[in-house]
Amino acid sequence: MAPAPDQDFPIAIAALPATREHSRAAAAIIIVLLIVAAFVAPFAHLRLGRIDAFIPVLQTVLALADFMTAILLFAQYSLLPQRALLAVGSAYVFSGSFAFLQTLTFPGGYGPAGVIGDGFNSPAWFFVLWHLTFPLAILVYALSKDEVRPAAAAGKSTARAIGLTLLFVVAVIAALAWLVTAGVGWLPTFYSGSVTEQTRFGNQINVVLLLWYGSVLALLFARRRTILDVWLVVILMAWMPNFLVAAIASSVRFSLGWYAARGFALFASFMLLAVLLTEMTVLYSRLANAFSLLRRERANRLMSIDAATAAIAHEIRTPLGAIALNAGTALDQLRAKPPVLDDLRAILADIAADSLRANEAISVVRGLFDGATERRTTVRAEDFARQALNLADAELRANQVSVTTEFRDNLAEVHVDTAQMQQVLLNLIRNANDAMAMLPSDVRRLRLATERTASTVVLSVQDSGAGIPNENRDRIFDAFFTTKPSGMGLGLAISRTIVEGHGGKLQLVGSGPHGTIFEIAMPISAAAAT
Ligand code: ADP
């Protein structure tokens, strides 16, 4: 079921525009009904066995279906307070009530001579009332369904409106029921002699009912728009064979036509109920889907907030640590008597450089989650590699790592955000540094090299550390995977995101007990390639 664009999530089924599927299904049912009717018609007058329980059973079921439909329709009104919905709900209260009251009048139904009425004309009058009131309420619906609800009505209590409507409908039903039971003597009679012999009046009233249904049906058909309209048309149509049978055949009850027509009626009364329940289930499943989507989206958003926060923390922790350390040293030197001013300039320069780095790290992380700020320039890969080495210099020296570089001359240039690429290199260098921390100082070696392939510049970072165990190799690029006590597990994940954001690749190309090699392959800048 494809919702109309302006009703992306309708809450009331009554307001759903009829889709092509509904119109097709309705047309198919009408065609089937016509075919069945055409088959039955030649034998309609055939007298079948008299089953007294037929009407009471069928109409009790029908009444229950009608009452349930009415409940659903009134519930729709509480979602969409349109007077038309009260009318169509009332139609089903009329239908269910008169159907059930009629069963009470049937001889051999709930009592041998019926529970109410004269057991002769009362059932027929109930039938007439039933089929005068049902289409009348549908007519009110058809005429008022497109009216725009006045703003004032929106504030009114819907429960009160439903209550008043029900009170009115029940009062009308009670008055009419009294008339056709206690007052049936004053009314014209339907049968002459036995209930199988119709009078002229009985015959004519069925013609009236047929025309009455036909006119309401034609009006509703012309004004049909929603799912509810389409199915009400089918329901009105499904009732018509009843009047046709009674209008053209003088001997009515217990003939094949009569039984078949009642079958149609039962079918019709279940139809709207089935449609309402089906549409509700469809809406419910869409609601459930939307809800789970919303929950997933919220979880994702929380996840990215978490990731952004952790990433920022990860990237600025080191520069902040260095700033704190340097500031402490500077203070110590100033406190000394006399103050040691020699190194102060270098220390303050370090502090300034570290704050810049922290600041840049924040921009990088923000860029990652913001959808990358474009600050790319065309540079040589060794430029940002050297800058990263400079930034890591203090840590590497503290760890007594010997650094070698093999940067090829005249390599093609790459188009990158140098701050981001520095960040990537810095991460790789720091990881290498960490991996070698437990080794004897004379074997701590770091090698940075560049190379060119047909379309890329490859920058490799090699250490002589303890290597990455086999079982961890698939996981090191996962966010939050870390084997370090104070690690965040974000360095490689962020680095890979940055490199791939540039159209490059960051890979672990080898790792063993004697060291690890990571490679960054960056596409050669278009300008440089030509
Ligand atoms: P973190 O450094 O916070 O742990 P990373 O994503 O940078 O996060 O690294 C994830 C894990 O990958 C590290 O905890 C470590 O186990 C492993 N790793 C990364 N680089 C190396 C390396 N050069 N040698 C050994 N292990 C490494």
Side-chain angles (χ1 to χ4, degrees):
M1 183 197 61
D6 61 333
Q7 298 213 320
D8 219 18
F9 209 96
I11 41 167
I13 296 158
L16 280 176
T19 58
R20 195 179 287 174
E21 287 89 345
H22 276 279
S23 304
R24 278 207 196 125
I29 288 182
I30 290 175
I31 290 170
V32 170
L33 285 179
L34 288 177
I35 293 174
V36 175
F39 268 103
V40 172
F43 315 101
H45 60 280
L46 219 78
R47 297 292 306 274
L48 300 181
R50 176 180 174 143
I51 308 169
D52 281 330
F54 180 73
I55 283 290
V57 169
L58 182 132
Q59 285 188 188
T60 305
V61 173
L62 189 147
L64 281 178
D66 280 354
F67 287 137
M68 285 200 285
T69 310
I71 291 173
L72 291 182
L73 288 167
F74 282 124
Q76 292 278 305
Y77 174 80
S78 60
L79 295 175
L80 186 77
Q82 252 180 8
R83 275 201 322 222
L85 281 174
L86 289 180
V88 72
S90 305
Y92 275 86
V93 177
F94 278 126
S95 173
S97 306
F98 284 128
F100 187 69
L101 286 169
Q102 197 198 15
T103 65
L104 294 182
T105 61
F106 262 83
Y110 284 91
V115 181
I116 50 171
D118 66 353
F120 190 65
N121 271 311
S122 295
W125 273 111
F126 270 119
F127 186 79
V128 170
L129 289 180
W130 175 4
H131 295 296
L132 282 175
T133 52
F134 179 73
L136 178 68
I138 301 280
L139 181 72
V140 174
Y141 164 78
L143 293 174
S144 59
K145 74 191 182 71
D146 296 330
E147 112 190 345
V148 179
R149 182 164 49 97
K156 273 197 199 157
S157 144
T158 51
R160 198 165 150 257
I162 295 172
L164 285 176
T165 308
L166 278 175
L167 212 68
F168 170 74
V169 171
V170 170
V172 170
I173 292 171
L176 292 174
W178 178 84
L179 183 68
V180 299
T181 49
V184 74
W186 307 321
L187 300 171
T189 175
F190 280 80
Y191 303 103
S192 52
S194 91
V195 289
T196 53
E197 296 297 321
Q198 256 185 169
T199 60
R200 221 173 122 70
F201 170 75
N203 221 279
Q204 282 166 346
I205 203 140
N206 278 297
V207 178
V208 170
L209 290 181
L210 186 70
L211 293 176
W212 178 220
Y213 262 72
S215 338
V216 175
L217 188 149
L219 183 91
L220 186 61
F221 184 79
R223 304 185 64 143
R224 77 190 185 287
R225 194 174 52 79
T226 62
I227 291 181
L228 190 60
D229 302 346
V230 168
W231 290 102
L232 285 174
V233 164
V234 179
I235 289 158
L236 289 174
M237 198 166 262
W239 266 106
M240 291 175 68
N242 275 279
F243 318 118
L244 209 61
V245 166
I248 57 177
S250 59
S251 137
V252 278
R253 285 200 195 165
F254 310 117
S255 64
L256 175 64
W258 183 84
Y259 277 118
R262 290 296 154 117
F264 278 20
L266 182 66
F267 175 74
S269 72
F270 268 98
M271 205 143 50
L272 189 55
L273 187 61
V275 170
L276 288 175
L277 290 176
T278 312
E279 286 302 318
M280 267 179 193
T281 315
V282 171
L283 272 191
Y284 174 81
S285 77
R286 280 179 58 200
L287 189 70
N289 276 347
F291 182 70
S292 76
L293 216 82
L294 208 71
R295 214 162 46 180
R296 210 173 321 146
E297 199 179 280
R298 199 169 141 254
N300 282 349
R301 216 175 22 233
L302 282 182
M303 174 72 189
S304 58
I305 290 170
D306 265 7
T309 319
I312 290 173
H314 176 264
E315 297 304 330
I316 66 173
R317 183 182 281 173
T318 317
L320 283 183
I323 290 171
L325 205 74
N326 273 328
T329 318
L331 280 175
D332 284 346
Q333 295 193 353
L334 281 175
R335 264 191 228 110
K337 296 213 164 67
V340 192
L341 296 178
D342 304 350
D343 295 337
L344 221 52
R345 185 189 300 274
I347 291 175
L348 288 176
D350 272 358
I351 290 180
D354 280 330
S355 5
L356 272 181
R357 237 174 81 200
N359 198 21
E360 247 168 29
I362 290 173
S363 324
V364 167
V365 173
R366 215 174 38 202
L368 276 181
F369 292 93
D370 272 2
T373 43
E374 278 297 327
R375 287 183 308 173
R376 296 187 183 178
T377 49
T378 305
V379 289
R380 290 182 310 167
E382 68 171 84
D383 292 345
F384 53 82
R386 279 190 206 283
Q387 286 159 0
L389 272 178
N390 280 343
L391 290 173
D393 186 53
E395 293 159 56
L396 290 170
R397 262 193 292 143
N399 214 10
Q400 296 175 298
V401 175
S402 73
V403 180
T404 52
T405 53
E406 285 175 34
F407 297 134
R408 293 276 168 85
D409 286 339
N410 302 324
L411 272 189
E413 292 181 316
V414 287
H415 190 62
V416 295
D417 180 327
T418 40
Q420 289 192 343
M421 290 311 291
Q422 260 180 40
Q423 207 67 49
V424 172
L425 261 288
L426 206 59
N427 262 317
L428 295 178
I429 294 169
R430 269 198 211 124
N431 278 346
N433 198 20
D434 291 342
M436 297 184 290
M438 308 301 283
L439 299 180
S441 57
D442 58 325
V443 289
R444 294 179 197 154
R445 287 188 301 269
L446 175 73
R447 175 178 171 268
L448 262 67
T450 51
E451 221 175 293
R452 177 180 172 153
T453 69
S455 57
T456 59
V457 169
V458 178
L459 213 159
S460 60
V461 179
Q462 179 175 9
D463 63 60
S464 57
I468 303 169
N470 264 338
E471 65 271 22
N472 290 349
R473 285 186 198 167
D474 287 340
R475 303 168 59 202
I476 52 167
F477 289 100
D478 291 349
F480 306 110
F481 174 80
T482 181
T483 54
K484 302 171 194 170
S486 60
M488 290 267 190
L490 281 170
L492 287 178
I494 292 175
S495 300
R496 185 169 254 183
T497 312
I498 292 176
V499 172
E500 288 178 353
H502 283 82
K505 268 190 176 152
L506 168 62
Q507 281 172 310
L508 169 71
V509 289
S511 187
H514 301 296
T516 301
I517 309 178
F518 281 94
E519 265 183 16
I520 305 168
M522 299 299 288
I524 291 168
S525 130
T530 50

